[in-house]
Amino acid sequence: MKKFVLLLLVFLLGASRGFAAEGENANTYDSFKTYCGTEMAKVLATYKGEQYSIVYKTKSNKPERWVKTSEKVDSAYGIEMQKASVPGGPDTGVLIVKHSTAIYADNFDSAEKAKAETDIVDTVKNTYKFYMSYENNEWVLKKVLKYTHWQKKWHSVSPTSVFDILQSKNEVKQ
């Protein structure tokens, strides 16, 4: 009987550690979800009103010309948690964001003609994955991957910050 009680105590001790680990994972997920919500709110706040950029292109296989583009970030984003590869190490949070750039006809001979254009001739679609770990009570960006639809593969991007990479680079037109 003593062996049975001892075995039951060992089992309960192991199970309580498992339940504690589940609680930690839930806390980590909630923390990451809150962090991503805050960062994405800052990013999305930069995409207000009618926005586009007019750029004068001089280097290319085409002659010098004015180009009109417009960027957009999808307000719906994904969150994933990846278990730590080393026991006791931090889990990795992954923020997944879709970004697109609308390209208008790019053969304009003046900025005014480019601004007046409303027909989109192509759209570039990208997906970003931001890999972060929780260190010293904050989420730290470790790696950024960017998927480009025309090359159909992932590329590494310098991990500066979610905001720096995704914020609107358009000019705001009122």
Side-chain angles (χ1 to χ4, degrees), residues 2 8 15 35 40 42 45 51-52 57-58 60 68 76 83 112 141 147 152-153 160 162 167 170:
K2 288 182 182 179
L8 182 62
Y35 173 79
M40 287 304 295
K42 289 191 271 184
Q51 298 182 339
Y52 54 83
K57 297 280 187 171
T58 58
S60 177
K68 179 180 179 181
K83 295 282 187 195
E112 292 74 28
L141 185 60
Y147 182 84
K152 305 224 183 302
K153 64 181 184 177
T160 54
V162 173
Q167 70 177 324
N170 297 324

Side-chain angles (χ1 to χ4, degrees), residues 3-128:
K3 288 182 181 179
F4 176 73
V5 171
L6 184 62
L7 183 61
L8 182 62
L9 285 174
V10 169
F11 174 76
L12 289 174
L13 180 63
S16 68
R17 285 184 183 161
F19 291 131
E22 282 182 25
E24 282 181 28
N25 288 343
N27 289 340
T28 302
Y29 179 81
D30 290 343
S31 170
F32 186 62
K33 182 178 176 182
T34 300
Y35 173 79
C36 291
T38 302
E39 289 300 302
M40 287 304 295
K42 289 191 271 184
V43 167
L44 293 171
T46 66
Y47 290 89
K48 299 287 184 192
E50 182 184 352
Q51 298 182 339
Y52 54 83
S53 293
I54 305 293
V55 179
Y56 188 68
K57 297 280 187 171
T58 58
K59 295 181 181 176
S60 177
N61 57 351
K62 295 183 180 181
E64 296 178 354
R65 70 218 185 275
W66 289 91
V67 177
K68 179 180 179 181
T69 61
S70 179
E71 295 181 343
K72 184 175 88 173
V73 168
D74 194 340
S75 60
Y77 54 89
I79 297 174
E80 295 177 358
M81 291 301 293
Q82 296 178 347
K83 295 282 187 195
S85 57
V86 178
D91 291 343
T92 300
V94 184
L95 170 63
I96 304 163
V97 183
K98 294 183 180 183
H99 177 274
S100 61
T101 303
I103 301 171
Y104 298 80
D106 66 354
N107 56 351
F108 304 109
D109 55 3
S110 73
E112 292 74 28
K113 287 182 181 177
K115 287 178 187 177
E117 183 60 51
T118 59
D119 292 334
I120 296 172
V121 296
D122 199 6
T123 302
V124 178
K125 295 178 183 177
N126 299 308
T127 301
Y128 286 91

